[in-house]
């Protein structure tokens, strides 16, 4: 039995909190895409853990797997594991031999491409996390990537680097006209230095018994009766296929990615539960259209500031202030269809308490037509005018007491808001987030106990 956790919007919906909550009933937690661009927060008894690569199940002592669909920076991985050890955890992390390695030159190229786009005034700067995600997936698809399995074999690693590094060097020097030698970029393009550092990572992975053939590993664990949780990173609207291209990440956070990115069949993922994580409003870090953004006038900006401060809406990875907007139903309908949600968890309803007004984009008007789901191009999306519905607001209450008492203890206006979302996305509300801590969740259905 599997449970797949998927971001329904633009990332940072509080996926980590739900992975932690329900991860208690799982045995293995698998990341199936993305890399250290993710920042997942788990709060347990007031202690906060920020996880970029180590699956959020680590806080509960579960086996964490980075599937073949992930891109892995071994530097960040080991730093994060060491940091968690200092906090008293002992994360058991396995990495797919088929996963691709983020090399230092990928991060350099990510930075250069963003700078070039920014200077070009083309308006296509994505506002990436700068972690080298896009350039690594480019090399994967271009069949010139370095995989985790290659790190164990010095000769193969050397061959791969000798082929690819001169190409990257030419890209920087000849295409972008930038210097490498004598600058702080130098080490990232030095085959011998890369070989030494990454072969050593290969040894550390091997010594720790950390690499796996992901599909086999999960198959055997499931045969032995283990329960799997798939931990999606990012969100549907920044999915490379289903998001607002080109303002997207380079992988598939949507539920189909769980099968491809781990080597478990789509029938297995599909027989399980697929839970869309929804933030009760909208946040976005990075550029791209956002029809419901609260940035129209001073009053809207003040409201956005209030929500940003109260909700702690600053990027986990980069610290950037997140853009804030009203909940966007066309976006959620699209997310539910693309991933086939069986349920949703709606987080951050506590953050919306005490507002003077509460709006939701029920539909859009695009070039004189009313549409209920998102258009396929970012240009069209940018032209969409939200058609709002107003909802009654709710007051601040003792959310911890509400979490304990259950769904019926939620303010009536909150229940109306939640029922509307459930109806529109055609999925039941499984949980309601009323604060960051593991205990601050109103649980309606635990997906592992449903079937
Ligand atoms: P993720 O990337 O989807 O895992 O989400 P992030 O961890 O990047 O951002 C979510 C932030 O909101 C974190 O600081 C969480 O601790 C916090 N959070 C999660 N659920 C809730 C909630 O229901 N209410 C409040 N106030 N904060 C929450
Ligand atoms: P979690 O898992 C929010 C955004 C970046 C940028 C775009 C591409 O914490 O929800 P990338 O570095 O992936 O090439 O950047 O995607 N982005 C995220 N936004 N949450 C995330 O992860 C994100 N990961 C990437 O800001 O706009
Ligand atoms: Mg995050």
């Amino acid at each position: 039995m599997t449970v797949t956790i998927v971001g329904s919007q633009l990332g940072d919906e509080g996926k980590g909190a739900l992975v932690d909550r329900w991860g208690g009933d799982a045995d293995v937690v698998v990341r199936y895409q993305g890399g250290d661009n993710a920042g997942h927060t788990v709060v347990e008894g007031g202690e906060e853990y920020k996880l970029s690569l180590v699956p959020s199940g680590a806080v509960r002592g579960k086996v964490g797997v980075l599937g073949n669909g992930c891109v892995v920076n071994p530097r960040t991985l080991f730093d994060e594991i060491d940091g968690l050890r200092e906090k008293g955890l002992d994360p058991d992390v396995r990495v797919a031999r088929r996963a691709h390695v983020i090399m230092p030159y990928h991060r350099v190229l990510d930075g250069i491409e963003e700078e070039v786009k920014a200077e070009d005034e083309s308006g296509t700067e994505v506002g990436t996390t700068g972690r080298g995600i896009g350039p690594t997936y480019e090399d994967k698809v271009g069949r010139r990537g370095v995989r985790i399995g290659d790190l164990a074999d010095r000769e193969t690693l050397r061959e791969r680097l000798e082929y690819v590094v001169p190409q990257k060097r030419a890209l920087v020097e000849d295409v972008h006209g930038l210097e490498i030698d004598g600058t702080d970029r130098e080490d990232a393009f030095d085959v011998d230095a890369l070989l030494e550092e990454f072969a050593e990572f290969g040894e550390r992975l091997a010594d720790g018994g950390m690499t796996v053939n992901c599909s086999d590993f999960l198959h055997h664990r499931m045969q032995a009766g283990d329960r799997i949780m798939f931990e999606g990173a990012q969100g549907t609207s920044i999915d490379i296929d289903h998001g607002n291209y080109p303002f997207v990440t380079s992988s598939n956070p949507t539920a189909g990615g769980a099968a491809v990115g781990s080597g478990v069949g789509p029938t297995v993922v599909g027989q399980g539960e697929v839970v869309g994580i929804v933030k009760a409003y909208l946040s976005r870090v990075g550029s791209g259209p956002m029809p419901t953004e609260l940035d129209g006038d001073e009053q809207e900006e003040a409201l956005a500031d209030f929500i940003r401060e109260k909700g702690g809406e600053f990027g986990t990875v980069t610290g950037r202030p997140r853009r804030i907007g009203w909940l966007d139903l066309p976006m959620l309908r699209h997310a539910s269809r693309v991933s086939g949600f069986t349920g949703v968890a709606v987080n951050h309803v506590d953050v919306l308490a005490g507002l003077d007004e509460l709006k939701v984009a029920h539909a859009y008007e695009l070039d004189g037509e009313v549409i209920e789901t998102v258009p396929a191009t970012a240009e069209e999306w940018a032209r969409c005018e939200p058609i709002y519905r107003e909802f009654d607001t709710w007051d601040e209450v003792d959310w911890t007491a509400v979490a304990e008492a259950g769904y019926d203890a939620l303010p009536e206006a909150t229940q109306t808001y939640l029922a509307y979302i459930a109806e529109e996305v055609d999925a039941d509300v499984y949980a309601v987030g009323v604060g960051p801590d593991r205990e601050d969740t109103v649980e309606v259905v635990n997906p592992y106990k449903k079937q």
Side-chain angles (χ1 to χ4, degrees), residues 221-234:
R221 298 290 304 223
M222 283 189 287
Q223 275 200 324
D226 277 2
R227 300 206 271 194
I228 310 287
M229 174 170 274
F230 291 106
E231 175 177 1
Q234 288 81 51

Side-chain angles (χ1 to χ4, degrees), residues 75-95:
R75 288 180 179 169
T76 343
L77 176 64
F78 286 121
D79 282 354
E80 197 166 291
I81 290 175
D82 292 344
L84 290 171
R85 288 207 174 121
E86 275 165 29
K87 285 193 155 187
L89 300 179
D90 186 18
D92 180 354
V93 181
R94 315 297 172 95
V95 190

